[in-house]
Amino acid sequence: MTKHIAHVESAVKKWLQPDNFALKKAIDKTVSEGLFSTEDIRYQIRVLKRNVESGQIREWAERSGLKDERSAAGKKVLCLHAGNLPLVGFQTALGVILSGADYYGKLSRKDPYLMQSFLKLAEHELTGSEIQFSTDLNAFRELNADEVIFAGSEDSVEVIKKEIAGIKATRAEAGYHIRTAKYSMVYLDNKDPETMKDFAEAVLRYEGQGCRSVAIVVSPYRLDSFKCEMTDYIELFWMHNPPEGKVSPGVEYQFAFNKAIERSQAWLDHFLIQETDELPKYDRVVNWVPGDEAKVREMVSKAGKQLQSVYTTGNRIEGVETELVSKAQRPDLWWKPDGVDVIRTLINNER
């Protein structure tokens, strides 16, 4: 197992090397087709590179209890990767490969090239288990996978299960690991410069499309008292990461509605921040909720499975598992999407 982990680590490091032409080509193709921005792709790769170079692959394996006698060797795992962020499926693919299971990846057509550049290299470098991938689900017809991992809304779960069953991509008794979290929350209790930079990153990186992106802010400050400082840091972020997306008509309607009822809000052309304790309904909308730590607990309960993570500026909140807001878009490799460690799940047969 020690040798296996070392081989995986070596393959990932090789993929992340600056002279990797295949990765450069994948980046260029992704940008030229307008799938993701250069800034977001480079940011994601820098985060992965820093994690890998600091020894997090080995540490993740140790944290997950990965040992010879509990490896998932021979287990077929079908991964249906999302495409809302560049390389959003990387952690799942890496976890499956580390576990020793056979990896079968249905890549998103929104992010095919970046993942493919890693998987092709891994397929060549790692011979201990099967690695197959395609953007076409039919490529996995009659696979009879033992486990399925995918992210999506609760409304789409039964549809996807039916589609998979229709082509016999899984066994009848296959285990499903479904991720349904949509957004994250921050308890913002100070206005110091580093906190504000981290906050802007947490909200705006990847156009706010990730489940780790902040869509709810709980703060002892009212929105009106925070607007000036917040706008300055948002504009600074956009200076280096120009926004590309536009708000939906629903967001424009929400802005007009807020104005009519005199609700406090900040219109930022590409984002709307509004003072309300309702749950987020639209992309590019952040709900600002005045309140204390008790309000955080209330909003956690209210959001339920839609909520991925809760961030703070350093203080702990009783009864709530939290992370630092500085790690919102820079998670460790072992972070747990929807509270689940993919390696531990596969080696322990957790369902």
Side-chain angles (χ1 to χ4, degrees):
M1 186 56 65
T2 300
K3 189 179 291 185
H4 166 66
I5 294 168
H7 284 164
V8 173
E9 184 178 53
S10 175
V12 176
K13 285 182 176 179
K14 187 172 182 179
W15 172 64
L16 290 169
Q17 285 297 310
D19 61 355
N20 181 0
F21 176 74
L23 179 55
K24 287 182 179 178
K25 186 177 179 181
I27 293 171
D28 290 344
K29 204 166 183 180
T30 299
V31 173
S32 68
E33 292 186 15
L35 301 175
F36 297 109
S37 70
T38 302
E39 292 81 11
D40 280 349
I41 295 170
R42 287 178 175 171
Y43 179 88
Q44 179 74 287
I45 289 174
R46 283 197 302 270
V47 170
L48 292 175
K49 191 176 180 68
R50 186 162 51 244
N51 288 347
V52 171
E53 290 180 346
S54 66
Q56 287 196 9
I57 289 180
R58 188 174 301 277
E59 185 170 350
W60 184 16
E62 291 173 356
R63 283 170 173 258
S64 301
L66 187 60
K67 299 174 182 176
D68 283 319
E69 66 269 19
R70 294 200 299 169
S71 73
K75 184 178 290 186
K76 294 179 181 179
V77 183
L78 176 60
C79 301
L80 279 62
H81 296 299
N84 54 321
L85 311 180
L87 288 165
V88 69
F90 177 82
Q91 191 224 29
T92 299
L94 177 62
V96 173
I97 292 168
L98 269 172
S99 76
D102 293 333
Y103 165 85
Y104 299 86
K106 193 282 179 187
L107 307 185
S108 170
R109 288 183 172 84
K110 295 179 181 178
D111 184 25
Y113 311 122
L114 298 171
M115 282 292 292
Q116 189 178 96
S117 70
F118 166 65
L119 293 169
K120 278 186 175 180
L121 186 146
E123 184 182 29
H124 181 264
E125 298 284 326
L126 306 171
T127 57
S129 55
E130 193 74 24
I131 296 177
Q132 294 183 26
F133 48 92
S134 174
T135 55
D136 184 1
L137 185 60
N138 282 303
F140 307 105
R141 184 177 292 275
E142 298 187 359
L143 172 64
N144 290 312
D146 302 291
E147 309 285 342
V148 180
I149 302 173
F150 72 91
S153 68
E154 291 184 353
D155 295 339
S156 68
V157 171
E158 291 307 316
V159 175
I160 292 172
K161 281 186 174 181
K162 187 175 181 180
E163 190 173 354
I164 291 172
I167 61 172
K168 297 182 180 178
T170 63
R171 296 190 296 113
E173 64 275 24
Y176 278 81
H177 311 283
I178 305 162
R179 299 167 179 172
T180 58
K182 296 180 179 179
Y183 49 74
S184 293
M185 180 193 308
V186 64
Y187 180 55
L188 196 62
D189 58 354
N190 71 69
K191 303 180 182 182
D192 70 69
E194 283 306 309
T195 295
M196 294 307 297
K197 287 179 185 177
D198 293 336
F199 170 68
E201 187 90 58
V203 172
L204 303 173
R205 176 62 63 186
Y206 309 123
E207 308 284 338
Q209 297 300 297
C211 63
R212 290 184 63 90
S213 298
V214 167
I216 300 176
V217 181
V218 178
S219 178
Y221 300 96
R222 302 300 296 250
L223 176 57
D224 285 339
S225 70
F226 226 101
K227 279 184 184 178
C228 291
E229 294 95 334
M230 183 174 59
T231 302
D232 288 344
Y233 284 96
I234 287 173
E235 289 179 351
L236 179 64
F237 178 88
W238 278 339
M239 189 182 301
H240 300 286
N241 305 273
E244 296 183 351
K246 296 180 179 179
V247 298
S248 66
V251 178
E252 294 178 340
Y253 171 82
Q254 186 67 47
F255 170 72
F257 174 77
N258 291 344
K259 195 172 181 180
I261 65 171
E262 299 184 344
R263 173 184 284 166
S264 178
Q265 62 180 340
W267 178 254
L268 305 168
D269 293 331
H270 301 272
F271 268 82
L272 171 66
I273 301 178
Q274 58 179 357
E275 190 172 282
T276 175
D277 65 357
E278 296 173 358
L279 295 179
K281 291 191 294 185
Y282 302 107
D283 290 341
R284 304 179 191 280
V285 175
V286 176
N287 288 356
W288 187 283
V289 185
D292 55 11
E293 293 181 7
K295 192 67 177 180
V296 173
R297 288 188 286 271
E298 179 188 324
M299 293 303 295
V300 168
S301 177
K302 191 174 183 179
K305 292 182 179 180
Q306 296 182 77
L307 186 67
Q308 181 63 259
S309 299
V310 178
Y311 310 121
T312 69
T313 60
N315 296 325
R316 294 187 177 185
I317 298 176
E318 185 179 351
V320 179
E321 186 175 343
T322 62
E323 302 176 57
L324 291 174
V325 67
S326 59
K327 301 283 284 186
Q329 305 292 9
R330 295 192 285 272
D332 296 316
L333 283 179
W334 54 77
W335 82 278
K336 301 175 183 179
D338 283 41
V340 176
D341 181 329
V342 64
I343 299 178
R344 187 179 294 277
T345 296
L346 293 177
I347 63 178
N348 291 340
N349 296 312
E350 296 176 358
R351 299 255 175 110

